Amino acid sequence: MSPLLSPTDLRIREAIRAAMEAESPRLTQQALADRLSISQPAVAALLAGRRGQIPQSLVDLLDALGLEITLQPRSSGSEG
């Protein structure tokens, strides 16, 4: 069973899925895995929240400071 994810974790995973859908053609888990040099099951675990969770202490810190993580596409000139 997948662990309970914080709202921050959920928003990040939703943004990643949306970015994958927005690519033309749609970016598959396998294609993303190839870009990251990891396996497709590892990508699936990341997207499902079984790996790569944001530490609760960081989520608590963000909440205490009234901050949130926002994701947006890089500007076209940014690499890195």
Side-chain angles (χ1 to χ4, degrees), residues 22-43:
E23 286 209 14
S24 182
R26 184 181 74 80
L27 183 64
T28 65
Q29 288 184 8
Q30 183 61 58
L32 183 56
D34 292 344
R35 286 186 189 181
L36 298 170
S37 299
I38 63 175
S39 68
Q40 178 277 324
V43 169

Side-chain angles (χ1 to χ4, degrees), residues 4-13 52-69:
L4 294 177
L5 298 175
S6 72
T8 300
D9 267 306
L10 290 172
R11 284 193 307 270
I12 289 171
R13 282 165 176 76
Q53 291 183 35
I54 297 172
Q56 187 61 45
S57 57
L58 178 57
V59 172
D60 293 343
L61 177 66
L62 294 170
D63 287 343
L65 295 171
L67 299 172
E68 67 180 357
I69 295 172

